[in-house]
Amino acid sequence: MKIGAPRERYEGEARVALTPESAGHIQKLGHECLIESGAGQLAGFSDEAYEQAGVTVVADAAALFDQADIVIKVREPDDEEAGRLREGQTLISFFWPAQNEEMLERCRGQGASVIAMDMVPRISRAQKMDALSSTANIAGYRAVIEAGNQFGRFFTGQVTAAGKVPPAKVLVIGAGVAGLAAIGTATSLGAVVRAFDVRPEVAEQIESMGAEFLFLDFEDSQDGSESGGYASPSSPEFREKQLELFRAQAPDIDIVITTALIPGRPAPKLWLEDMVAAMKPGSVVVDLAAEKGGNCDATVPNERVVTDNGVIVVGYTDFPSRMATQSSLLYSTNVRHMLTDLTPEKDGQVVHNMEDDVIRGATVTHQGEITFPPPPPKVKAIAAAKPKPKEKEPTPEEKKAAEHAAFVKQTKSQVSMLAIGGVLMLLLGQVAPASFMQHFIVFVLSCFVGFQVIWNVSHSLHTPLMAVTNAISGIIILGAVLQVGSGNWLVALLAGISVLIASINIVGGFLVTRRMLAMFQKS
């Protein structure tokens, strides 16, 4: 089939749904690729680059819609593009069906199938098609870069001959994909980062990235998780405590990045006018929820405003488009993976399987019917595991008693083993020659001591232990080599087997140790 990508008509949109790299993968599925002339220019992809990748460059959007069986876009279609859709054609793009009921009905009337990339279910198998996460990741990164551009000081602290420069203090509200990307970028630039989220289970993720999680002192703390890993609306009591926390942070924070969004609802107001007024002059607020109304009272969508007290509020809604090349590469990869699922036999024939959780979840119109909202997926959505309730910390006396009981149990086990071994040795000594018993006793004691030493070593130390076992294996090889020349064929055979096994152990030990050390080396 023919896959076509038109030029994006939305004002300021620089991304493109097809890149030369993704076109190569799509062609391997048996499809033919088309691109409207100039569609990739703003993202850094020339028509010549597409032609070299085997893509047919079409003069205009009208010709592309006429030829393509599947149209792939970034933004939802406008009225003119929707009017060009025909029966049996498929559109793959962001669509936002809950907010675009009129456009949804129009596409249904045209007889086209629409796959909304914003409706891909958040299940493990669909992560490679999760365009929302790809976009949010870029937006979070770019928000920090934009904040640094507006902020008048360093992110990292410095001590110079001219004086000491304190590090910037950054607060990230919302620890979804965009929030975590912002946290990672800000910490890597040297800022002191704090973060808040209504879902307590993300605290470990935040702290592992070097940021401080702001815990809320709220006894009846609710679980802020919703299906699919999103946050759910907060109760009025929880919201009041949340706002109190933000008011306490406002005078001390230099940069605030808000990312809080709830699907299908306006963005919640979290950074209010009094918090903006409490911030220092020159502070920056970057509102990633501006397109849905904004988390900050002072946000104006698509504008940069400066408040009366000198706080800069950035409400741009095109952060991914400001990194058009990277955004296009990631989004086109998401679309390519969707086409891979739609072409199971890689023969260029699309199979729109409505029994597939991912395809069914993302399809909003099909065969003249509106299929939105989809049924819940058969498999569980991606969500962080809830933290287990902490067990009661034992007292020092209880710890001491438990350690003593474990020591007594281990001692009894060892004494029992030695007693049984001693009895067996005594019985064997009644029939075996003295020369044999001398060697055999040493062998048994060596096995016992070796077992006790290695068994009690923590599993995390087994790899470093390879160096010790290599030395032991070397002694075994030396002894076996001395016995290879024995006149007894059985002794020579056992010696040869010992050399082989010990050699394998030594080589394997060195390989594993080398891999372990390589993990701590910079490439």
Side-chain angles (χ1 to χ4, degrees):
M1 287 193 169
K2 293 183 178 180
I3 315 294
R7 178 175 54 83
E8 296 296 323
R9 300 164 64 88
Y10 189 87
E11 185 178 355
E13 182 56 72
R15 291 173 291 176
V16 64
L18 182 71
T19 64
E21 180 184 350
S22 66
H25 292 285
I26 293 172
Q27 287 164 356
K28 291 178 182 178
L29 298 174
H31 299 299
E32 181 183 343
C33 294
L34 312 175
I35 188 83
E36 182 183 349
S37 180
Q41 198 68 44
L42 296 177
F45 305 110
S46 64
D47 289 350
E48 291 76 15
Y50 283 108
E51 289 174 346
Q52 290 174 7
V55 180
T56 302
V57 178
V58 180
D60 53 35
L64 185 136
F65 272 81
D66 285 341
Q67 296 180 43
D69 301 297
I70 299 177
V71 177
I72 56 176
K73 281 178 46 60
V74 179
R75 292 273 185 170
E76 61 269 26
D78 58 19
D79 290 336
E80 185 176 344
E81 289 173 326
R84 287 174 174 157
L85 292 172
R86 63 178 186 273
E87 187 173 352
Q89 197 172 38
T90 299
L91 170 69
I92 301 177
S93 72
F94 284 115
F95 199 86
W96 315 108
Q99 291 81 31
N100 285 327
E101 294 183 8
E102 185 178 340
M103 182 59 68
L104 188 66
E105 179 61 36
R106 181 164 186 186
C107 291
R108 182 205 64 79
Q110 296 288 113
S113 295
V114 176
I115 296 176
M117 293 301 291
D118 50 283
M119 289 297 298
V120 171
R122 286 195 161 180
I123 59 177
S124 297
R125 186 171 65 83
Q127 283 182 306
K128 59 188 177 182
M129 300 170 237
D130 191 352
L132 285 177
S133 292
S134 299
T135 303
N137 182 32
I138 293 171
Y141 173 85
R142 179 69 191 196
V144 176
I145 302 302
E146 194 65 40
N149 183 45
Q150 304 292 338
F151 190 53
R153 301 205 313 268
F154 293 130
F155 265 67
T156 185
Q158 292 188 6
V159 179
T160 68
K164 183 179 179 181
V165 179
K169 295 178 181 176
V170 178
L171 173 62
V172 179
I173 301 177
V177 176
L180 292 174
I183 291 168
T185 307
T187 54
S188 67
L189 290 174
V192 175
V193 183
R194 304 167 190 170
F196 176 81
D197 197 283
V198 297
R199 300 163 296 168
E201 63 265 22
V202 303
E204 291 183 0
Q205 298 179 50
I206 291 169
E207 290 169 352
S208 70
M209 300 180 75
E212 176 190 356
F213 182 74
L214 299 178
F215 287 95
L216 199 60
D217 184 16
F218 188 65
E219 292 183 1
D220 298 325
S221 182
Q222 64 183 33
D223 178 12
S225 299
E226 196 176 54
S227 175
Y230 293 102
S232 60
S234 305
S235 65
E237 297 80 11
F238 185 90
R239 176 175 167 78
E240 285 303 315
K241 285 288 185 181
Q242 186 181 23
L243 295 180
E244 284 180 20
L245 174 67
F246 294 159
R247 288 191 181 97
Q249 293 289 323
D252 192 41
I253 293 296
D254 299 308
I255 296 171
V256 178
I257 298 174
T258 65
T259 70
L261 278 173
I262 300 172
R265 299 183 179 94
K269 295 296 182 183
L270 299 175
W271 204 255
L272 308 183
E273 287 185 8
D274 61 314
M275 301 173 194
V276 176
M279 297 179 74
K280 300 184 289 288
S283 300
V284 179
V285 178
V286 180
D287 195 341
L288 289 180
E291 195 167 5
K292 301 299 179 183
N295 297 134
C296 178
D297 278 344
T299 298
V300 178
N302 294 311
E303 291 187 20
R304 170 192 179 274
V305 299
V306 181
T307 63
D308 294 338
N309 63 322
V311 176
I312 301 167
V313 182
V314 178
Y316 300 150
T317 61
D318 60 346
F319 285 109
S321 190
R322 288 170 181 256
M323 299 182 68
T325 302
Q326 185 68 71
S327 298
S328 299
L329 288 169
L330 292 180
Y331 178 72
S332 63
T333 300
N334 296 140
V335 173
R336 185 251 296 179
H337 284 302
M338 176 62 75
L339 289 168
T340 301
D341 273 25
L342 288 167
T343 318
E345 300 299 327
K346 298 183 180 180
D347 56 356
Q349 298 301 313
V350 169
V351 179
H352 203 120
N353 181 14
M354 294 295 277
E355 297 299 318
D356 184 285
D357 274 342
V358 178
I359 296 173
R360 173 64 187 90
T363 301
V364 294
T365 68
H366 185 57
Q367 295 181 346
E369 295 181 3
I370 293 177
T371 58
F372 173 82
K378 303 182 187 74
V379 294
K380 210 169 186 180
I382 301 168
K386 294 181 182 179
K388 295 181 180 178
K390 292 184 178 179
E391 297 180 358
K392 185 180 178 181
E393 187 73 19
T395 62
E397 292 78 12
E398 291 174 339
K399 286 182 178 179
K400 189 174 181 180
E403 290 174 358
H404 179 71
F407 174 76
V408 170
K409 183 179 179 181
Q410 184 179 15
T411 303
K412 285 182 178 180
S413 173
Q414 291 177 349
V415 170
S416 300
M417 290 177 63
L418 286 172
I420 295 171
V423 172
L424 293 175
M425 285 286 183
L426 184 61
L427 294 175
L428 184 60
Q430 300 297 320
V431 295
S435 60
F436 172 79
M437 289 303 298
Q438 288 178 350
H439 294 293
F440 187 68
I441 290 172
V442 172
F443 171 74
V444 171
L445 289 176
S446 299
C447 290
F448 177 77
V449 172
F451 175 79
Q452 290 297 324
V453 169
I454 296 177
W455 185 261
N456 289 318
V457 171
S458 170
H459 289 277
S460 61
L461 297 177
H462 279 179
T463 301
L465 193 64
M466 289 287 185
V468 180
T469 59
N470 281 350
I472 297 173
S473 298
I475 296 171
I476 294 172
I477 289 178
L478 181 61
V481 168
L482 293 175
Q483 297 297 325
V484 166
S486 173
N488 190 317
W489 68 270
L490 181 59
V491 173
L493 176 62
L494 293 176
I497 294 173
S498 299
V499 171
L500 175 63
I501 295 176
S503 300
I504 293 173
N505 189 41
I506 290 176
V507 173
F510 277 119
L511 287 175
V512 172
T513 304
R514 182 178 178 82
R515 285 191 179 184
M516 181 196 71
L517 294 175
M519 294 171 62
F520 300 96
Q521 295 175 348
K522 291 185 178 180
S523 56

